[in-house]
Amino acid sequence: MKFVFTDKKVNLPNKVHAYAEKKVGKLDRYFKADAEASIVFSVEKDRNNVELTVRSGGTIIRVAESTSDMFATIDAAVASVERQLRKNKARLEKRLRQDAFVRSVEEEISSFVPEVEEDEFRIVRTKKFPIKPMTVEEAVLQMNLVDHTFFAFKDVDNDGAFSVVYKRNDGGYGLIEDAE
């Protein structure tokens, strides 16, 4: 697994990166050889934040954790990834490394993430609406007017490509554009 570390507004000692590499490296058994782990460290309001993104093939798993201790935050992020993997085990088996979910005796003892029964994806409501051509600014305005957290539209500034604007947790807005 390849590692990319980013420290935002904080200077961390190398032992934190080494600890993160050791802990996140244990996830390597789930992923194929091309896996890349991107780990972003930051500190805000006396909280240590870790954003862990693992990319393997076409699969992207992202978690964000925050505690008062950076080492505990790294542990929590790794546990969250394991929880996501186990929760979606049946759907991910074809995308992950073969035998990724076969446990050895040593792992059985050390793993503190319990097995969780997988829920079925269930669509509980379907809506149909016309996706209209508009600018990004118009889409953000429309999203705010209907008080939603996202809004799909055809971007007139991008040759009518399908796009989505969304509200970010930091209070800003995001834009998802079709890459084709």
Side-chain angles (χ1 to χ4, degrees), residues 88-153:
N88 295 292
K89 178 167 113 174
R91 291 181 198 94
L92 290 171
E93 280 182 319
K94 293 179 186 93
R95 294 179 175 206
L96 299 178
R97 176 179 282 176
Q98 190 172 3
D99 299 331
F101 293 100
V102 176
R103 290 181 165 195
S104 69
V105 174
E106 183 180 301
E107 291 164 358
E108 193 72 47
I109 294 168
S110 68
S111 181
F112 54 92
V113 180
E115 287 284 336
V116 180
E117 282 298 314
E118 183 176 322
D119 292 334
E120 198 175 296
F121 289 142
R122 209 178 83 207
I123 306 296
V124 294
R125 185 173 182 192
T126 301
K127 285 186 174 183
K128 291 185 179 186
F129 65 96
I131 298 178
K132 297 184 177 174
M134 59 181 70
T135 66
V136 173
E137 291 77 21
E138 290 171 324
V140 171
L141 174 63
Q142 188 63 48
M143 174 183 64
N144 288 333
L145 289 173
V146 296
D147 196 30
H148 285 182
T149 56
F150 70 94
F151 190 81
F153 66 103

Side-chain angles (χ1 to χ4, degrees), residues 17-50:
H17 290 191
Y19 183 80
E21 191 168 331
K22 176 184 170 192
K23 290 294 186 173
V24 175
K26 291 181 179 179
L27 297 173
D28 198 30
R29 70 185 181 100
Y30 293 106
F31 300 102
K32 297 177 181 171
D34 67 340
E36 178 181 301
S38 173
I39 306 164
V40 179
F41 300 98
S42 62
V43 176
E44 292 177 27
K45 298 179 186 172
D46 298 327
R47 300 291 290 173
N48 294 289
N49 305 315
V50 171

Side-chain angles (χ1 to χ4, degrees), residues 31 52-55 59-63 80-81 84-85 92 96:
F31 300 102
L52 171 59
T53 306
V54 181
R55 290 178 173 82
T59 305
I60 300 173
I61 297 174
R62 182 187 174 280
V63 297
S80 291
V81 170
Q84 281 187 14
L85 290 169
L92 290 171
L96 299 178

Side-chain angles (χ1 to χ4, degrees), residues 148-167:
H148 285 182
T149 56
F150 70 94
F151 190 81
F153 66 103
K154 292 180 183 174
D155 190 352
V156 295
D157 298 329
N158 195 5
D159 296 326
F162 178 79
S163 300
V164 177
V165 290
Y166 61 95
K167 289 183 184 176

